[in-house]
Amino acid sequence: MAVTLPEAVLAQYARFSLYNSPYPAHDGGCAIDCYPGTLVDGRTTAAPSPVAGTVRETRTVRAPPKPYAPEHDHLILLEPAASSPLSGLTVRILHVEPSVEAGQRVDRGDSLGRLVRAGFFAPWVDNHLHVGVRGPDRNPYRASGSLPLELGASVRPLEWDGTGRVVSTGETYAVLDSPAHPNPGAEFVGVRADSGGVLDGGLPHYDGGGLLERGGSIDAECDRDPVVSLNGDRLGVADGRTIAWDDVTVTANGEPITGLSLFCARDGDFGAKLICPDRPFERGERVRVRVRSSTED
């Protein structure tokens, strides 16, 4: 059973990703990270509720130990309103220090509290809500067990030739000016794979990724070539919409970097995001990105 996230849910956020995470909760696109904005170097703290409903419970949970993050995260369980398409299910939200309490009624878009950066975050990851949906027969506290998620909003694939100029940088990343969003605020976009569909995930620094919008629903039969590539560079093999990355290395101007962060966005700051903690870039620098087999000389 898959659950469709209505367009009204996704439209509250500037960006989202089903696969751009190293954690098993995202396997098969069974969770979504929703980014309310990327203001102040990705450190916005706004946490709008994805759905209307009643807070079932809040609790503090343990997070992976990281030297730059607190030891704990927070879990919010919401019971969607009877009028919601998600009625009868439980919505599971992480990374929000709650200002709500059990029994409280919230509308879609109401503040749930303040976004936090726990040990689940890599240094280059922007603040976001981690959202999963559970059936009534599933344990809502376990990390895995959420239902696969379908998108109720279309994502427009953008051609990208692998080049661009650096427009912003952080200690661990650089963002390019391409591909540019053609219609900011009006639709979600993402980087197009050669055979169609939008690439989603951490290439190759997370184990796998996703190919959205190519074959329709999760269970749709797709007779296209399962090999996924970008600008002629092979990335991996798709099984349905889930990609197993090959053993590849991303290079920028011929030098290896950690990888590419691939996601869906509707904001005007969208562009290819290079993950490069060991290779600094300067604003205005021209960059060409390629993906090479790690076995190549």
Side-chain angles (χ1 to χ4, degrees), residues 237-263:
V237 176
D239 180 5
R241 67 175 185 181
T242 298
I243 307 170
W245 303 132
D246 287 350
D247 184 8
V248 295
T249 298
V250 175
T251 66
N253 293 342
E255 298 182 29
I257 61 173
T258 297
L260 277 174
S261 179
L262 300 159
F263 50 87

Side-chain angles (χ1 to χ4, degrees), residues 14-83:
R15 301 178 178 186
F16 68 79
S17 172
L18 293 170
Y19 286 90
N20 201 344
S21 171
Y23 295 105
H26 283 267
D27 289 355
C30 289
I32 188 168
D33 289 339
C34 299
Y35 299 78
T38 54
L39 301 176
V40 194
D41 194 28
R43 302 301 186 254
T44 182
T45 59
S49 178
V51 297
T54 302
V55 178
R56 170 176 161 182
E57 185 179 351
T58 67
R59 62 166 57 184
T60 300
V61 297
R62 184 176 299 175
K66 296 286 177 63
Y68 53 81
E71 297 178 353
H72 297 96
D73 202 339
H74 303 274
L75 172 67
I76 299 174
L77 300 179
L78 282 179
E79 303 293 348
S83 58

Side-chain angles (χ1 to χ4, degrees), residues 57-115:
E57 185 179 351
T58 67
R59 62 166 57 184
T60 300
V61 297
R62 184 176 299 175
K66 296 286 177 63
Y68 53 81
E71 297 178 353
H72 297 96
D73 202 339
H74 303 274
L75 172 67
I76 299 174
L77 300 179
L78 282 179
E79 303 293 348
S83 58
S84 169
L86 304 181
S87 178
L89 303 171
T90 298
V91 176
R92 184 177 185 275
I93 301 165
L94 283 167
H95 314 329
V96 180
E97 183 177 2
S99 61
V100 294
E101 58 187 19
Q104 184 172 338
R105 177 80 165 78
V106 296
D107 288 326
R108 186 178 68 237
D110 282 355
S111 176
L112 295 174
R114 181 179 183 275
L115 289 177

Side-chain angles (χ1 to χ4, degrees), residues 2 5 11 59 69 71 74 147 167 182 186 207 229 231 249 255 261-262 281 284 297:
L5 293 176
R59 62 166 57 184
E71 297 178 353
H74 303 274
L147 296 165
V167 291
D207 286 343
S229 61
N231 296 317
T249 298
E255 298 182 29
S261 179
L262 300 159
F281 289 90
D297 293 333

